[in-house]
Amino acid sequence: MKLLAVLLTFASPAVREEHSYPPKGSGQQRADFERGQANQAKFEQRLFTEAGFKPLADMIKAKRIVRRSLFEDPYMMLPIPGVEVEHLSDGTVSVRVVGRAGESEPVKLPAAAWRHLTSLERKILTPRPYVPWDPPKSDLPSPPPPPICHGWIVRFGASENAVQGSGSWAQCGGKDQPGMAFAVEMARLAVESHPSCKFDPTNPFWSFSTCFTPRPTPAKN
């Protein structure tokens, strides 16, 4: 009977894990927010270095001005490389594809390409300002889990004027969110710089993957 009582206690919906949230507008709430942002940026930029990119800190040290994107397919199964656009000190602009096997030779772009690309950034590469929020009430039921969604994810990075930029865009978040136009433009610049590839604006990221993802080598009998 004692064992049954213990099992019923653990199975009871009334038993919940208690959380202690810092008060709205407190120094602790702000510190937690800023720490979360910093950790997210570290995670995003670690993905770039693992994919073959030079760390942004090295780019800043070399005074290189770049914008970069890294693409993840909806099921995160393909070894898709990334793309980097650089604004050189002489005013020229170039694009190259970067992956674990190395980076492609840079292809020159018109100067207008840089101006258009950076006009699409808006605030996706800068940290959001802290805005105090009301902590959740412990007596409310937990919200249901979000529906399962498989979509493209694009990571961003930037180096300019001794400042690093970082951000992400996820297809499951909707088409109108900041970052989509910038991600599509990065894919377009890379694909259209490769003469044997064709850019499909209705499937921009699959266009990039089709053009640049390494194909597996068939096994020899």
Side-chain angles (χ1 to χ4, degrees):
M1 292 296 292
K2 290 184 178 180
L3 177 60
L4 178 60
V6 171
L7 292 175
L8 289 174
T9 299
F10 279 104
S12 171
V15 177
R16 297 182 54 185
E17 182 180 358
E18 293 294 329
H19 295 277
S20 177
Y21 298 97
K24 178 181 181 178
S26 65
Q28 185 60 53
Q29 188 185 65
R30 185 185 191 113
D32 289 348
F33 173 82
E34 293 176 347
R35 183 169 56 253
Q37 280 194 325
N39 289 339
Q40 175 66 18
K42 288 179 181 178
F43 165 72
E44 289 162 349
Q45 297 314 308
R46 187 178 74 245
L47 295 178
F48 276 100
T49 56
E50 290 173 352
F53 285 78
K54 295 180 178 66
L56 281 180
D58 294 351
M59 307 299 278
I60 288 178
K61 187 176 181 180
K63 298 182 179 180
R64 295 174 65 177
I65 301 174
V66 300
R67 300 294 186 270
R68 51 177 55 164
S69 292
L70 184 63
F71 306 93
E72 295 180 1
D73 69 277
Y75 293 91
M76 301 182 184
M77 297 177 63
L78 300 175
I80 304 174
V83 58
E84 187 167 74
V85 178
E86 182 167 10
H87 188 280
L88 303 173
S89 58
D90 62 0
T92 59
V93 181
S94 64
V95 60
R96 59 183 162 267
V97 175
V98 183
R100 291 179 177 84
E103 58 184 53
S104 66
E105 290 296 321
V107 177
K108 189 174 180 180
L109 297 173
W114 180 263
R115 293 193 295 270
H116 179 59
L117 178 66
T118 53
S119 73
L120 299 175
E121 286 180 15
R122 292 191 275 177
K123 296 181 179 180
I124 62 172
L125 294 167
T126 57
R128 290 187 297 110
Y130 165 70
V131 177
W133 69 91
D134 291 314
K137 297 181 180 180
S138 59
D139 58 345
L140 294 178
S142 300
I148 296 174
C149 176
H150 296 288
W152 284 89
I153 298 175
V154 186
R155 313 292 182 181
F156 307 122
S159 166
E160 185 171 2
N161 296 330
V163 177
Q164 296 185 29
S166 189
S168 294
W169 170 84
Q171 189 176 28
C172 290
K175 292 184 177 181
D176 296 330
Q177 59 180 316
M180 180 178 178
F182 184 83
V184 171
E185 180 65 4
M186 289 289 279
R188 185 189 71 81
L189 289 173
V191 174
E192 292 188 351
S193 72
H194 203 280
S196 63
C197 297
K198 184 177 180 180
F199 182 70
D200 181 0
T202 62
N203 291 289
F205 309 126
W206 282 118
S207 292
F208 183 90
S209 176
T210 301
C211 184
F212 298 112
T213 301
R215 297 294 181 264
T217 303
K220 295 181 179 180
N221 294 330

